[in-house]
Amino acid sequence: MVVSYIRPDKDFDGVYEQLKLINGYADQKEIMINEELVDQTSQNKRLVDRHEVVRFFRSLNGDTLLVYDTWTLSNCIEDVVQMFSCLLKNNNTIHFVKQGVIIDRNSDTMVVLGLIDQLRQILQDDAKKGIGRPRGSKSSSKFDVHLEQIIDLLKKRKSVSEIARVMGVSRSSLKDYIESRELKEVVNGVIGLGENEDAEAMVIGTIRCPID
């Protein structure tokens, strides 16, 4: 069974953005999604309080899970580690759409650690800022209603200038939107550029060693 799991987060991406990119990824990879779970109840909650999600993940065995990014599972490192451990122990396969990475219980440990470290870096950088909108947090934009059109044009290799002309909008405003949503990076993963090994190497390369 193939399941897509969507967890909207006020500091990251909403349901619509995640669904569009997961479905685009599934279409490109010719993956048939059998079930979809949108988790609306887990904002800032620890895994111990997310009873429905815990039951859902424990029910998976030998299945495939499509998620947008590591933070989709949880914003807590401890909970992410526990969820990884449970899912992989039960022979599940996890596709991380944004990174273009697929992991299972036979995956390179460094890839798994890289995914966890990416989340650690985001949380650490947010903590250093102390106040204000967290890094990655996305306010609403007039371009949100055009997200599907923008993604489709990016998939067709249209430049920001070309897309701006088609939509009749400011190139600089559109460029800021695309960069803030990291749409080019995500679309590159969705349309399957490169091999899984390349994506894994990129994830490992993002690991940040301690600084004295």
Side-chain angles (χ1 to χ4, degrees):
M1 180 172 67
V2 178
V3 181
S4 63
Y5 173 67
I6 295 94
R7 184 182 73 89
D9 190 298
K10 60 183 176 60
D11 295 329
F12 293 95
D13 294 310
V15 171
Y16 180 72
E17 288 179 284
Q18 293 182 55
L19 277 174
K20 281 302 303 176
L21 295 167
I22 288 174
N23 289 337
Y25 175 90
D27 288 343
Q28 183 67 30
K29 302 292 184 182
E30 298 183 343
I31 298 172
M32 177 70 69
I33 298 175
N34 307 114
E35 187 175 341
E36 180 180 282
L37 175 63
V38 178
D39 181 4
Q40 296 279 14
T41 63
S42 63
Q43 293 282 348
N44 301 318
K45 286 188 177 181
R46 292 294 305 275
L47 196 56
V48 67
D49 297 316
R50 295 164 60 187
H51 306 294
E52 180 183 355
V53 172
V54 170
R55 286 194 294 269
F56 170 72
F57 281 122
R58 290 187 64 175
S59 72
L60 298 177
N61 196 311
D63 297 307
T64 297
L65 188 68
L66 305 184
V67 297
Y68 175 59
D69 200 349
T70 312
W71 59 260
T72 309
L73 298 176
S74 175
N75 289 352
C76 172
I77 297 294
E78 182 180 343
D79 287 351
V80 168
V81 171
Q82 188 174 6
M83 294 170 89
F84 271 23
S85 301
C86 177
L87 288 166
L88 298 182
K89 176 185 177 182
N90 292 328
N91 295 307
N92 295 297
T93 300
I94 313 172
H95 292 241
F96 290 94
V97 171
K98 182 176 179 180
Q99 293 86 352
V101 168
I102 305 169
I103 65 170
D104 57 28
R105 66 185 302 167
N106 297 315
S107 292
D108 186 339
T109 304
M110 290 301 298
V111 177
V112 178
L113 291 175
L115 290 167
I116 295 172
D117 195 64
Q118 284 184 348
L119 177 59
R120 180 195 64 79
Q121 290 178 38
I122 292 174
L123 298 177
Q124 186 180 66
D125 290 346
D126 290 349
K128 287 180 180 178
K129 289 184 178 180
I131 59 173
R133 183 178 293 277
R135 192 187 84 156
S137 180
K138 297 175 177 63
S139 57
S140 60
S141 167
K142 64 181 180 181
F143 293 114
D144 287 342
V145 295
H146 302 293
L147 178 64
E148 184 173 353
Q149 181 185 11
I150 295 169
I151 290 173
D152 287 341
L153 291 170
L154 286 172
K155 285 182 181 179
K156 295 174 181 175
R157 294 304 185 197
K158 299 296 183 181
S159 68
V160 175
S161 296
E162 290 174 311
I163 297 173
R165 282 197 296 271
V166 169
M167 297 178 60
V169 298
S170 162
R171 180 191 181 281
S172 59
S173 297
L174 179 62
K175 180 174 180 291
D176 289 343
Y177 178 79
I178 290 173
E179 289 180 351
S180 70
R181 264 55 176 184
E182 297 180 324
L183 293 183
K184 283 188 176 180
E185 290 80 1
V186 174
V187 166
N188 284 343
V190 168
I191 63 177
L193 294 181
E195 300 296 329
N196 186 52
E197 291 78 7
D198 298 326
E200 291 178 352
M202 290 183 65
V203 168
I204 294 173
T206 65
I207 293 176
R208 196 183 294 169
C209 295
I211 299 175
D212 186 2

